Amino acid sequence: MADTKISPHSLAELKNTTDDALGNYLRGLKFEQDNTKLDVRLAIGYASVIIAAATFAADYKLGWEATKTWTAVAVVAYALLNGAFTYWMWAVEKGCVFAGVREGKKALYLHDFQISVASKTKKHDPTYYLTISSANSESRQITAPFTTWFTADGYFVAKPFQQWLASSVEAIGNADSKNALRDQRDEIASPSPEVELTPQGNGTVDASGTDGKSKGSKRSKRKG
C-alpha cells in the first residue's frame, strides 16, 4: 500500500497517481520507456519559455522603441509554439502515459513486445480508461473503477492494480505471470460465443441448441 494519501473524490489525483504507478510497474517489468514524444513536448515548452524570457529581458534593458519589432516577432513565434504544443498534446500524444518495449528481446521479435498505453477519465465518472496499442494488434480499451485499487480513504494498493493489468493485457501478463489471472486472460484471448450452435438430427444447425427434428405423436388403436 502506498504511503501517500490522496483525495478519493478528486479524479485528477486518482488518474495522476494511477498513471505514475502504471509507468513504475512497467519499468519494473523491464519495459524500456520511449521518451521521444515527451522530449518533443518538453522542447516545445522550453522554447516558448526562452522566447518569453528573452523578450522580457530585451524590453527591460533596451526599452520598447528599440525592441518593438523583435517583440512582435517573438509574440508570433510564441503563438505558433503554443499552438504546436496543444496540437502535440491532443493529436499526437493522445493521453499516452507509457510507450516502450521489453528489454533484452531480439530485434526480429521486437514488435511482439512493443506497447503503448494511453489513459483518460470522464467527468463525474470514477473509472480509469486505458487504450492499449501494440505493433502487431489493433488498439483496444479496458476499463476499471478506481475503487479497485484505491481504499475508501485514498490510499493506493498496488496488487489489485497489477493483477488487473497483467490479466487484461497479454504483453504485460507475459512479463508478469504471477499477477496474471489465467482464467481472465484466456477469456479475453478466446471469448466464448454468446450462442452455442448445436447440430440437429436432420443435419441443420439450431442456435438454441434444441433438436429441430419433430417427433410424431403416437395414436392408440382402439380394439374392436
Side-chain angles (χ1 to χ4, degrees):
M1 182 181 295
D3 295 332
T4 304
K5 180 181 178 180
I6 66 167
S7 171
H9 306 292
S10 171
L11 277 179
E13 290 189 37
L14 291 170
K15 180 183 181 299
N16 291 337
T17 302
T18 305
D19 287 346
D20 291 341
L22 187 150
N24 292 334
Y25 173 49
L26 293 182
R27 285 187 290 271
L29 295 177
K30 305 301 182 182
F31 279 89
E32 183 178 357
Q33 188 167 3
D34 181 3
N35 293 314
T36 302
K37 293 180 179 179
L38 176 61
D39 291 341
V40 171
R41 173 159 47 104
L42 291 176
I44 296 174
Y46 284 136
S48 301
V49 172
I50 291 172
I51 289 175
T55 303
F56 173 79
D59 181 65
Y60 180 78
K61 288 187 176 182
L62 303 176
W64 166 251
E65 289 298 329
T67 60
K68 60 182 180 181
T69 301
W70 291 107
T71 299
V73 173
V75 169
V76 173
Y78 183 85
L80 291 175
L81 286 173
N82 191 50
F85 184 86
T86 303
Y87 173 82
W88 189 264
M89 287 280 292
W90 291 100
V92 179
E93 290 191 8
K94 297 180 180 179
C96 181
V97 293
F98 188 92
V101 62
R102 280 193 67 188
E103 296 177 358
K105 301 301 176 184
K106 295 181 180 180
L108 179 62
Y109 305 104
L110 190 62
H111 64 279
D112 292 329
F113 303 95
Q114 291 176 337
I115 188 172
S116 177
V117 185
S119 70
K120 69 176 182 179
T121 55
K122 297 180 180 179
K123 192 174 182 180
H124 306 308
D125 179 13
T127 302
Y128 193 53
Y129 293 83
L130 280 186
T131 301
I132 313 296
S133 305
S134 59
N136 60 341
S137 64
E138 295 182 356
S139 299
R140 68 186 187 91
Q141 187 178 84
I142 60 174
T143 64
F146 284 110
T147 52
T148 305
W149 50 82
F150 276 99
T151 62
D153 49 356
Y155 286 100
F156 177 82
V157 184
K159 188 67 174 179
F161 177 65
Q162 294 172 358
Q163 288 180 336
W164 173 63
L165 286 175
S167 303
S168 303
V169 184
E170 184 178 3
I172 299 176
N174 290 336
D176 186 11
S177 57
K178 292 182 179 180
N179 276 320
L181 304 178
R182 289 295 173 181
D183 291 342
Q184 293 184 19
R185 289 189 58 203
D186 292 343
E187 183 178 352
I188 292 170
S190 302
S192 58
E194 295 181 0
V195 179
E196 183 179 359
L197 301 181
T198 306
Q200 297 181 358
N202 58 2
T204 61
V205 176
D206 182 16
S208 65
T210 59
D211 192 351
K213 185 177 180 180
S214 60
K215 297 181 179 180
S217 60
K218 295 182 179 180
R219 292 184 298 176
S220 60
K221 295 182 179 180
R222 298 178 62 183
K223 294 182 180 180

PDB file of all heavy atoms in Angstrom, residues 20-59:
ATOM      1  N   ASP A  20       1.201   7.323 -12.687  1.00  0.00           N
ATOM      2  CA  ASP A  20       2.566   7.163 -12.165  1.00  0.00           C
ATOM      3  C   ASP A  20       2.835   5.709 -11.786  1.00  0.00           C
ATOM      4  O   ASP A  20       3.917   5.168 -12.061  1.00  0.00           O
ATOM      5  CB  ASP A  20       2.773   8.061 -10.946  1.00  0.00           C
ATOM      6  CG  ASP A  20       2.780   9.542 -11.301  1.00  0.00           C
ATOM      7  OD1 ASP A  20       2.981   9.863 -12.491  1.00  0.00           O
ATOM      8  OD2 ASP A  20       2.579  10.377 -10.394  1.00  0.00           O
ATOM      9  N   ALA A  21       1.845   5.074 -11.163  1.00  0.00           N
ATOM     10  CA  ALA A  21       2.011   3.675 -10.758  1.00  0.00           C
ATOM     11  C   ALA A  21       2.139   2.768 -11.974  1.00  0.00           C
ATOM     12  O   ALA A  21       2.900   1.795 -11.957  1.00  0.00           O
ATOM     13  CB  ALA A  21       0.826   3.241  -9.898  1.00  0.00           C
ATOM     14  N   LEU A  22       1.411   3.080 -13.041  1.00  0.00           N
ATOM     15  CA  LEU A  22       1.481   2.274 -14.260  1.00  0.00           C
ATOM     16  C   LEU A  22       2.889   2.318 -14.856  1.00  0.00           C
ATOM     17  O   LEU A  22       3.464   1.285 -15.213  1.00  0.00           O
ATOM     18  CB  LEU A  22       0.450   2.777 -15.270  1.00  0.00           C
ATOM     19  CG  LEU A  22       0.254   1.961 -16.545  1.00  0.00           C
ATOM     20  CD1 LEU A  22      -1.183   2.102 -17.039  1.00  0.00           C
ATOM     21  CD2 LEU A  22       1.200   2.399 -17.653  1.00  0.00           C
ATOM     22  N   GLY A  23       3.455   3.523 -14.963  1.00  0.00           N
ATOM     23  CA  GLY A  23       4.805   3.649 -15.503  1.00  0.00           C
ATOM     24  C   GLY A  23       5.835   2.930 -14.654  1.00  0.00           C
ATOM     25  O   GLY A  23       6.717   2.232 -15.175  1.00  0.00           O
ATOM     26  N   ASN A  24       5.729   3.079 -13.339  1.00  0.00           N
ATOM     27  CA  ASN A  24       6.671   2.409 -12.435  1.00  0.00           C
ATOM     28  C   ASN A  24       6.557   0.887 -12.548  1.00  0.00           C
ATOM     29  O   ASN A  24       7.561   0.165 -12.514  1.00  0.00           O
ATOM     30  CB  ASN A  24       6.411   2.846 -10.992  1.00  0.00           C
ATOM     31  CG  ASN A  24       6.769   4.305 -10.761  1.00  0.00           C
ATOM     32  OD1 ASN A  24       7.613   4.866 -11.460  1.00  0.00           O
ATOM     33  ND2 ASN A  24       6.126   4.930  -9.789  1.00  0.00           N
ATOM     34  N   TYR A  25       5.327   0.405 -12.676  1.00  0.00           N
ATOM     35  CA  TYR A  25       5.093  -1.036 -12.779  1.00  0.00           C
ATOM     36  C   TYR A  25       5.710  -1.605 -14.057  1.00  0.00           C
ATOM     37  O   TYR A  25       6.410  -2.627 -14.027  1.00  0.00           O
ATOM     38  CB  TYR A  25       3.595  -1.296 -12.738  1.00  0.00           C
ATOM     39  CG  TYR A  25       3.178  -2.723 -12.991  1.00  0.00           C
ATOM     40  CD1 TYR A  25       3.778  -3.787 -12.317  1.00  0.00           C
ATOM     41  CD2 TYR A  25       2.162  -3.012 -13.900  1.00  0.00           C
ATOM     42  CE1 TYR A  25       3.380  -5.101 -12.549  1.00  0.00           C
ATOM     43  CE2 TYR A  25       1.758  -4.315 -14.130  1.00  0.00           C
ATOM     44  CZ  TYR A  25       2.369  -5.353 -13.460  1.00  0.00           C
ATOM     45  OH  TYR A  25       1.973  -6.651 -13.692  1.00  0.00           O
ATOM     46  N   LEU A  26       5.479  -0.935 -15.189  1.00  0.00           N
ATOM     47  CA  LEU A  26       6.016  -1.433 -16.456  1.00  0.00           C
ATOM     48  C   LEU A  26       7.540  -1.353 -16.491  1.00  0.00           C
ATOM     49  O   LEU A  26       8.202  -2.260 -17.003  1.00  0.00           O
ATOM     50  CB  LEU A  26       5.416  -0.652 -17.622  1.00  0.00           C
ATOM     51  CG  LEU A  26       3.911  -0.855 -17.858  1.00  0.00           C
ATOM     52  CD1 LEU A  26       3.445  -0.056 -19.065  1.00  0.00           C
ATOM     53  CD2 LEU A  26       3.583  -2.330 -18.045  1.00  0.00           C
ATOM     54  N   ARG A  27       8.092  -0.289 -15.951  1.00  0.00           N
ATOM     55  CA  ARG A  27       9.557  -0.208 -15.892  1.00  0.00           C
ATOM     56  C   ARG A  27      10.126  -1.296 -14.987  1.00  0.00           C
ATOM     57  O   ARG A  27      11.207  -1.833 -15.244  1.00  0.00           O
ATOM     58  CB  ARG A  27       9.988   1.182 -15.419  1.00  0.00           C
ATOM     59  CG  ARG A  27       9.850   2.265 -16.497  1.00  0.00           C
ATOM     60  CD  ARG A  27      10.444   3.584 -16.036  1.00  0.00           C
ATOM     61  NE  ARG A  27       9.631   4.195 -14.991  1.00  0.00           N
ATOM     62  CZ  ARG A  27       8.620   5.030 -15.223  1.00  0.00           C
ATOM     63  NH1 ARG A  27       8.305   5.350 -16.470  1.00  0.00           N
ATOM     64  NH2 ARG A  27       7.926   5.552 -14.230  1.00  0.00           N
ATOM     65  N   GLY A  28       9.385  -1.646 -13.939  1.00  0.00           N
ATOM     66  CA  GLY A  28       9.814  -2.732 -13.063  1.00  0.00           C
ATOM     67  C   GLY A  28       9.777  -4.085 -13.748  1.00  0.00           C
ATOM     68  O   GLY A  28      10.470  -5.015 -13.327  1.00  0.00           O
ATOM     69  N   LEU A  29       8.968  -4.199 -14.812  1.00  0.00           N
ATOM     70  CA  LEU A  29       8.897  -5.439 -15.593  1.00  0.00           C
ATOM     71  C   LEU A  29       9.882  -5.433 -16.762  1.00  0.00           C
ATOM     72  O   LEU A  29       9.759  -6.239 -17.681  1.00  0.00           O
ATOM     73  CB  LEU A  29       7.472  -5.634 -16.131  1.00  0.00           C
ATOM     74  CG  LEU A  29       6.377  -5.855 -15.089  1.00  0.00           C
ATOM     75  CD1 LEU A  29       5.017  -5.966 -15.769  1.00  0.00           C
ATOM     76  CD2 LEU A  29       6.652  -7.089 -14.248  1.00  0.00           C
ATOM     77  N   LYS A  30      10.840  -4.518 -16.733  1.00  0.00           N
ATOM     78  CA  LYS A  30      11.890  -4.416 -17.753  1.00  0.00           C
ATOM     79  C   LYS A  30      11.376  -3.885 -19.088  1.00  0.00           C
ATOM     80  O   LYS A  30      11.938  -4.198 -20.145  1.00  0.00           O
ATOM     81  CB  LYS A  30      12.588  -5.769 -17.969  1.00  0.00           C
ATOM     82  CG  LYS A  30      13.162  -6.387 -16.708  1.00  0.00           C
ATOM     83  CD  LYS A  30      14.188  -5.483 -16.044  1.00  0.00           C
ATOM     84  CE  LYS A  30      14.790  -6.140 -14.806  1.00  0.00           C
ATOM     85  NZ  LYS A  30      15.755  -5.249 -14.112  1.00  0.00           N
ATOM     86  N   PHE A  31      10.303  -3.093 -19.043  1.00  0.00           N
ATOM     87  CA  PHE A  31       9.896  -2.370 -20.241  1.00  0.00           C
ATOM     88  C   PHE A  31      10.707  -1.077 -20.301  1.00  0.00           C
ATOM     89  O   PHE A  31      10.700  -0.291 -19.351  1.00  0.00           O
ATOM     90  CB  PHE A  31       8.405  -2.034 -20.207  1.00  0.00           C
ATOM     91  CG  PHE A  31       7.514  -3.170 -20.613  1.00  0.00           C
ATOM     92  CD1 PHE A  31       7.049  -4.079 -19.676  1.00  0.00           C
ATOM     93  CD2 PHE A  31       7.141  -3.332 -21.937  1.00  0.00           C
ATOM     94  CE1 PHE A  31       6.228  -5.128 -20.045  1.00  0.00           C
ATOM     95  CE2 PHE A  31       6.317  -4.376 -22.321  1.00  0.00           C
ATOM     96  CZ  PHE A  31       5.858  -5.281 -21.372  1.00  0.00           C
ATOM     97  N   GLU A  32      11.412  -0.889 -21.404  1.00  0.00           N
ATOM     98  CA  GLU A  32      12.223   0.311 -21.580  1.00  0.00           C
ATOM     99  C   GLU A  32      11.369   1.399 -22.217  1.00  0.00           C
ATOM    100  O   GLU A  32      10.861   1.241 -23.324  1.00  0.00           O
ATOM    101  CB  GLU A  32      13.435   0.009 -22.462  1.00  0.00           C
ATOM    102  CG  GLU A  32      14.378   1.194 -22.624  1.00  0.00           C
ATOM    103  CD  GLU A  32      15.597   0.844 -23.460  1.00  0.00           C
ATOM    104  OE1 GLU A  32      15.717  -0.333 -23.855  1.00  0.00           O
ATOM    105  OE2 GLU A  32      16.412   1.739 -23.715  1.00  0.00           O
ATOM    106  N   GLN A  33      11.206   2.509 -21.513  1.00  0.00           N
ATOM    107  CA  GLN A  33      10.305   3.563 -21.968  1.00  0.00           C
ATOM    108  C   GLN A  33      10.917   4.380 -23.096  1.00  0.00           C
ATOM    109  O   GLN A  33      12.093   4.741 -23.063  1.00  0.00           O
ATOM    110  CB  GLN A  33       9.935   4.490 -20.805  1.00  0.00           C
ATOM    111  CG  GLN A  33       8.856   5.506 -21.144  1.00  0.00           C
ATOM    112  CD  GLN A  33       8.292   6.182 -19.908  1.00  0.00           C
ATOM    113  OE1 GLN A  33       8.741   5.925 -18.794  1.00  0.00           O
ATOM    114  NE2 GLN A  33       7.306   7.033 -20.094  1.00  0.00           N
ATOM    115  N   ASP A  34      10.098   4.653 -24.102  1.00  0.00           N
ATOM    116  CA  ASP A  34      10.491   5.520 -25.211  1.00  0.00           C
ATOM    117  C   ASP A  34      10.011   6.933 -24.891  1.00  0.00           C
ATOM    118  O   ASP A  34       8.805   7.196 -24.854  1.00  0.00           O
ATOM    119  CB  ASP A  34       9.859   5.017 -26.509  1.00  0.00           C
ATOM    120  CG  ASP A  34      10.244   5.873 -27.714  1.00  0.00           C
ATOM    121  OD1 ASP A  34      11.041   6.816 -27.548  1.00  0.00           O
ATOM    122  OD2 ASP A  34       9.740   5.600 -28.822  1.00  0.00           O
ATOM    123  N   ASN A  35      10.946   7.846 -24.660  1.00  0.00           N
ATOM    124  CA  ASN A  35      10.606   9.202 -24.241  1.00  0.00           C
ATOM    125  C   ASN A  35      10.592  10.207 -25.397  1.00  0.00           C
ATOM    126  O   ASN A  35      10.641  11.414 -25.154  1.00  0.00           O
ATOM    127  CB  ASN A  35      11.600   9.675 -23.175  1.00  0.00           C
ATOM    128  CG  ASN A  35      11.471   8.888 -21.883  1.00  0.00           C
ATOM    129  OD1 ASN A  35      10.374   8.663 -21.388  1.00  0.00           O
ATOM    130  ND2 ASN A  35      12.599   8.455 -21.338  1.00  0.00           N
ATOM    131  N   THR A  36      10.503   9.722 -26.630  1.00  0.00           N
ATOM    132  CA  THR A  36      10.567  10.621 -27.783  1.00  0.00           C
ATOM    133  C   THR A  36       9.460  11.667 -27.749  1.00  0.00           C
ATOM    134  O   THR A  36       9.707  12.869 -27.911  1.00  0.00           O
ATOM    135  CB  THR A  36      10.478   9.820 -29.094  1.00  0.00           C
ATOM    136  OG1 THR A  36      11.535   8.863 -29.135  1.00  0.00           O
ATOM    137  CG2 THR A  36      10.592  10.750 -30.292  1.00  0.00           C
ATOM    138  N   LYS A  37       8.226  11.228 -27.528  1.00  0.00           N
ATOM    139  CA  LYS A  37       7.100  12.168 -27.508  1.00  0.00           C
ATOM    140  C   LYS A  37       7.226  13.156 -26.359  1.00  0.00           C
ATOM    141  O   LYS A  37       6.947  14.348 -26.513  1.00  0.00           O
ATOM    142  CB  LYS A  37       5.781  11.401 -27.414  1.00  0.00           C
ATOM    143  CG  LYS A  37       5.458  10.582 -28.653  1.00  0.00           C
ATOM    144  CD  LYS A  37       4.136   9.857 -28.502  1.00  0.00           C
ATOM    145  CE  LYS A  37       3.807   9.052 -29.752  1.00  0.00           C
ATOM    146  NZ  LYS A  37       2.523   8.318 -29.615  1.00  0.00           N
ATOM    147  N   LEU A  38       7.658  12.667 -25.214  1.00  0.00           N
ATOM    148  CA  LEU A  38       7.847  13.550 -24.064  1.00  0.00           C
ATOM    149  C   LEU A  38       8.945  14.563 -24.333  1.00  0.00           C
ATOM    150  O   LEU A  38       8.818  15.749 -23.984  1.00  0.00           O
ATOM    151  CB  LEU A  38       8.184  12.720 -22.825  1.00  0.00           C
ATOM    152  CG  LEU A  38       8.496  13.501 -21.546  1.00  0.00           C
ATOM    153  CD1 LEU A  38       7.303  14.345 -21.120  1.00  0.00           C
ATOM    154  CD2 LEU A  38       8.915  12.543 -20.434  1.00  0.00           C
ATOM    155  N   ASP A  39      10.028  14.132 -24.973  1.00  0.00           N
ATOM    156  CA  ASP A  39      11.138  15.040 -25.274  1.00  0.00           C
ATOM    157  C   ASP A  39      10.700  16.156 -26.221  1.00  0.00           C
ATOM    158  O   ASP A  39      11.102  17.317 -26.058  1.00  0.00           O
ATOM    159  CB  ASP A  39      12.305  14.259 -25.885  1.00  0.00           C
ATOM    160  CG  ASP A  39      12.963  13.328 -24.881  1.00  0.00           C
ATOM    161  OD1 ASP A  39      12.769  13.530 -23.672  1.00  0.00           O
ATOM    162  OD2 ASP A  39      13.665  12.387 -25.315  1.00  0.00           O
ATOM    163  N   VAL A  40       9.884  15.808 -27.221  1.00  0.00           N
ATOM    164  CA  VAL A  40       9.392  16.826 -28.153  1.00  0.00           C
ATOM    165  C   VAL A  40       8.522  17.839 -27.422  1.00  0.00           C
ATOM    166  O   VAL A  40       8.640  19.056 -27.624  1.00  0.00           O
ATOM    167  CB  VAL A  40       8.610  16.170 -29.307  1.00  0.00           C
ATOM    168  CG1 VAL A  40       7.918  17.226 -30.161  1.00  0.00           C
ATOM    169  CG2 VAL A  40       9.535  15.320 -30.168  1.00  0.00           C
ATOM    170  N   ARG A  41       7.638  17.343 -26.551  1.00  0.00           N
ATOM    171  CA  ARG A  41       6.770  18.252 -25.797  1.00  0.00           C
ATOM    172  C   ARG A  41       7.587  19.186 -24.909  1.00  0.00           C
ATOM    173  O   ARG A  41       7.313  20.387 -24.828  1.00  0.00           O
ATOM    174  CB  ARG A  41       5.790  17.448 -24.949  1.00  0.00           C
ATOM    175  CG  ARG A  41       4.971  18.311 -23.995  1.00  0.00           C
ATOM    176  CD  ARG A  41       3.706  17.631 -23.542  1.00  0.00           C
ATOM    177  NE  ARG A  41       3.862  16.279 -23.119  1.00  0.00           N
ATOM    178  CZ  ARG A  41       3.867  15.875 -21.830  1.00  0.00           C
ATOM    179  NH1 ARG A  41       3.799  16.765 -20.859  1.00  0.00           N
ATOM    180  NH2 ARG A  41       3.945  14.599 -21.536  1.00  0.00           N
ATOM    181  N   LEU A  42       8.594  18.640 -24.244  1.00  0.00           N
ATOM    182  CA  LEU A  42       9.440  19.468 -23.388  1.00  0.00           C
ATOM    183  C   LEU A  42      10.223  20.492 -24.204  1.00  0.00           C
ATOM    184  O   LEU A  42      10.395  21.645 -23.779  1.00  0.00           O
ATOM    185  CB  LEU A  42      10.398  18.586 -22.591  1.00  0.00           C
ATOM    186  CG  LEU A  42       9.767  17.710 -21.502  1.00  0.00           C
ATOM    187  CD1 LEU A  42      10.818  16.816 -20.861  1.00  0.00           C
ATOM    188  CD2 LEU A  42       9.094  18.572 -20.440  1.00  0.00           C
ATOM    189  N   ALA A  43      10.699  20.088 -25.379  1.00  0.00           N
ATOM    190  CA  ALA A  43      11.457  21.010 -26.228  1.00  0.00           C
ATOM    191  C   ALA A  43      10.590  22.191 -26.658  1.00  0.00           C
ATOM    192  O   ALA A  43      11.036  23.349 -26.638  1.00  0.00           O
ATOM    193  CB  ALA A  43      11.989  20.270 -27.454  1.00  0.00           C
ATOM    194  N   ILE A  44       9.343  21.909 -27.041  1.00  0.00           N
ATOM    195  CA  ILE A  44       8.430  22.989 -27.433  1.00  0.00           C
ATOM    196  C   ILE A  44       8.149  23.907 -26.246  1.00  0.00           C
ATOM    197  O   ILE A  44       8.148  25.138 -26.367  1.00  0.00           O
ATOM    198  CB  ILE A  44       7.114  22.408 -27.985  1.00  0.00           C
ATOM    199  CG1 ILE A  44       7.378  21.626 -29.269  1.00  0.00           C
ATOM    200  CG2 ILE A  44       6.110  23.525 -28.257  1.00  0.00           C
ATOM    201  CD1 ILE A  44       6.156  20.896 -29.801  1.00  0.00           C
ATOM    202  N   GLY A  45       7.926  23.310 -25.088  1.00  0.00           N
ATOM    203  CA  GLY A  45       7.654  24.110 -23.894  1.00  0.00           C
ATOM    204  C   GLY A  45       8.830  24.979 -23.495  1.00  0.00           C
ATOM    205  O   GLY A  45       8.667  26.169 -23.183  1.00  0.00           O
ATOM    206  N   TYR A  46      10.038  24.411 -23.509  1.00  0.00           N
ATOM    207  CA  TYR A  46      11.230  25.185 -23.148  1.00  0.00           C
ATOM    208  C   TYR A  46      11.487  26.305 -24.152  1.00  0.00           C
ATOM    209  O   TYR A  46      11.901  27.411 -23.772  1.00  0.00           O
ATOM    210  CB  TYR A  46      12.450  24.265 -23.063  1.00  0.00           C
ATOM    211  CG  TYR A  46      12.497  23.429 -21.808  1.00  0.00           C
ATOM    212  CD1 TYR A  46      12.834  22.077 -21.864  1.00  0.00           C
ATOM    213  CD2 TYR A  46      12.208  23.982 -20.565  1.00  0.00           C
ATOM    214  CE1 TYR A  46      12.875  21.302 -20.713  1.00  0.00           C
ATOM    215  CE2 TYR A  46      12.247  23.216 -19.414  1.00  0.00           C
ATOM    216  CZ  TYR A  46      12.582  21.879 -19.495  1.00  0.00           C
ATOM    217  OH  TYR A  46      12.624  21.110 -18.356  1.00  0.00           O
ATOM    218  N   ALA A  47      11.253  26.041 -25.436  1.00  0.00           N
ATOM    219  CA  ALA A  47      11.450  27.072 -26.452  1.00  0.00           C
ATOM    220  C   ALA A  47      10.513  28.253 -26.212  1.00  0.00           C
ATOM    221  O   ALA A  47      10.906  29.423 -26.347  1.00  0.00           O
ATOM    222  CB  ALA A  47      11.223  26.485 -27.843  1.00  0.00           C
ATOM    223  N   SER A  48       9.277  27.963 -25.830  1.00  0.00           N
ATOM    224  CA  SER A  48       8.319  29.034 -25.538  1.00  0.00           C
ATOM    225  C   SER A  48       8.773  29.863 -24.343  1.00  0.00           C
ATOM    226  O   SER A  48       8.686  31.103 -24.358  1.00  0.00           O
ATOM    227  CB  SER A  48       6.938  28.428 -25.261  1.00  0.00           C
ATOM    228  OG  SER A  48       6.474  27.688 -26.364  1.00  0.00           O
ATOM    229  N   VAL A  49       9.267  29.189 -23.317  1.00  0.00           N
ATOM    230  CA  VAL A  49       9.733  29.898 -22.119  1.00  0.00           C
ATOM    231  C   VAL A  49      10.945  30.768 -22.441  1.00  0.00           C
ATOM    232  O   VAL A  49      11.054  31.917 -21.980  1.00  0.00           O
ATOM    233  CB  VAL A  49      10.067  28.885 -21.003  1.00  0.00           C
ATOM    234  CG1 VAL A  49      10.742  29.586 -19.823  1.00  0.00           C
ATOM    235  CG2 VAL A  49       8.806  28.173 -20.538  1.00  0.00           C
ATOM    236  N   ILE A  50      11.866  30.244 -23.240  1.00  0.00           N
ATOM    237  CA  ILE A  50      13.069  31.004 -23.598  1.00  0.00           C
ATOM    238  C   ILE A  50      12.705  32.258 -24.387  1.00  0.00           C
ATOM    239  O   ILE A  50      13.245  33.348 -24.151  1.00  0.00           O
ATOM    240  CB  ILE A  50      14.035  30.110 -24.407  1.00  0.00           C
ATOM    241  CG1 ILE A  50      14.619  29.023 -23.500  1.00  0.00           C
ATOM    242  CG2 ILE A  50      15.150  30.946 -25.028  1.00  0.00           C
ATOM    243  CD1 ILE A  50      15.428  27.980 -24.239  1.00  0.00           C
ATOM    244  N   ILE A  51      11.766  32.126 -25.324  1.00  0.00           N
ATOM    245  CA  ILE A  51      11.338  33.287 -26.112  1.00  0.00           C
ATOM    246  C   ILE A  51      10.707  34.345 -25.212  1.00  0.00           C
ATOM    247  O   ILE A  51      10.997  35.543 -25.323  1.00  0.00           O
ATOM    248  CB  ILE A  51      10.357  32.852 -27.215  1.00  0.00           C
ATOM    249  CG1 ILE A  51      11.098  32.068 -28.294  1.00  0.00           C
ATOM    250  CG2 ILE A  51       9.651  34.056 -27.826  1.00  0.00           C
ATOM    251  CD1 ILE A  51      10.195  31.498 -29.362  1.00  0.00           C
ATOM    252  N   ALA A  52       9.844  33.915 -24.309  1.00  0.00           N
ATOM    253  CA  ALA A  52       9.191  34.862 -23.404  1.00  0.00           C
ATOM    254  C   ALA A  52      10.210  35.553 -22.501  1.00  0.00           C
ATOM    255  O   ALA A  52      10.152  36.778 -22.290  1.00  0.00           O
ATOM    256  CB  ALA A  52       8.146  34.134 -22.562  1.00  0.00           C
ATOM    257  N   ALA A  53      11.169  34.787 -21.975  1.00  0.00           N
ATOM    258  CA  ALA A  53      12.183  35.362 -21.087  1.00  0.00           C
ATOM    259  C   ALA A  53      13.096  36.328 -21.838  1.00  0.00           C
ATOM    260  O   ALA A  53      13.438  37.410 -21.327  1.00  0.00           O
ATOM    261  CB  ALA A  53      13.002  34.238 -20.456  1.00  0.00           C
ATOM    262  N   ALA A  54      13.507  35.961 -23.058  1.00  0.00           N
ATOM    263  CA  ALA A  54      14.390  36.829 -23.844  1.00  0.00           C
ATOM    264  C   ALA A  54      13.687  38.132 -24.218  1.00  0.00           C
ATOM    265  O   ALA A  54      14.293  39.215 -24.192  1.00  0.00           O
ATOM    266  CB  ALA A  54      14.849  36.093 -25.098  1.00  0.00           C
ATOM    267  N   THR A  55      12.408  38.035 -24.558  1.00  0.00           N
ATOM    268  CA  THR A  55      11.645  39.243 -24.906  1.00  0.00           C
ATOM    269  C   THR A  55      11.532  40.181 -23.708  1.00  0.00           C
ATOM    270  O   THR A  55      11.696  41.402 -23.836  1.00  0.00           O
ATOM    271  CB  THR A  55      10.242  38.845 -25.397  1.00  0.00           C
ATOM    272  OG1 THR A  55      10.363  37.966 -26.512  1.00  0.00           O
ATOM    273  CG2 THR A  55       9.448  40.070 -25.810  1.00  0.00           C
ATOM    274  N   PHE A  56      11.255  39.620 -22.548  1.00  0.00           N
ATOM    275  CA  PHE A  56      11.150  40.442 -21.339  1.00  0.00           C
ATOM    276  C   PHE A  56      12.483  41.108 -21.013  1.00  0.00           C
ATOM    277  O   PHE A  56      12.537  42.308 -20.690  1.00  0.00           O
ATOM    278  CB  PHE A  56      10.700  39.576 -20.164  1.00  0.00           C
ATOM    279  CG  PHE A  56      10.718  40.293 -18.848  1.00  0.00           C
ATOM    280  CD1 PHE A  56       9.689  41.161 -18.506  1.00  0.00           C
ATOM    281  CD2 PHE A  56      11.774  40.121 -17.956  1.00  0.00           C
ATOM    282  CE1 PHE A  56       9.706  41.837 -17.291  1.00  0.00           C
ATOM    283  CE2 PHE A  56      11.797  40.788 -16.747  1.00  0.00           C
ATOM    284  CZ  PHE A  56      10.759  41.653 -16.410  1.00  0.00           C
ATOM    285  N   ALA A  57      13.584  40.352 -21.107  1.00  0.00           N
ATOM    286  CA  ALA A  57      14.901  40.901 -20.778  1.00  0.00           C
ATOM    287  C   ALA A  57      15.294  42.010 -21.751  1.00  0.00           C
ATOM    288  O   ALA A  57      15.830  43.060 -21.343  1.00  0.00           O
ATOM    289  CB  ALA A  57      15.942  39.784 -20.801  1.00  0.00           C
ATOM    290  N   ALA A  58      15.022  41.801 -23.047  1.00  0.00           N
ATOM    291  CA  ALA A  58      15.368  42.823 -24.040  1.00  0.00           C
ATOM    292  C   ALA A  58      14.554  44.093 -23.830  1.00  0.00           C
ATOM    293  O   ALA A  58      15.085  45.214 -23.914  1.00  0.00           O
ATOM    294  CB  ALA A  58      15.138  42.271 -25.445  1.00  0.00           C
ATOM    295  N   ASP A  59      13.281  43.937 -23.553  1.00  0.00           N
ATOM    296  CA  ASP A  59      12.434  45.105 -23.324  1.00  0.00           C
ATOM    297  C   ASP A  59      12.855  45.851 -22.059  1.00  0.00           C
ATOM    298  O   ASP A  59      12.831  47.091 -22.010  1.00  0.00           O
ATOM    299  CB  ASP A  59      10.978  44.658 -23.221  1.00  0.00           C
ATOM    300  CG  ASP A  59      10.037  45.826 -23.010  1.00  0.00           C
ATOM    301  OD1 ASP A  59       9.923  46.665 -23.919  1.00  0.00           O
ATOM    302  OD2 ASP A  59       9.415  45.894 -21.927  1.00  0.00           O
TER     303      ASP A  59
END
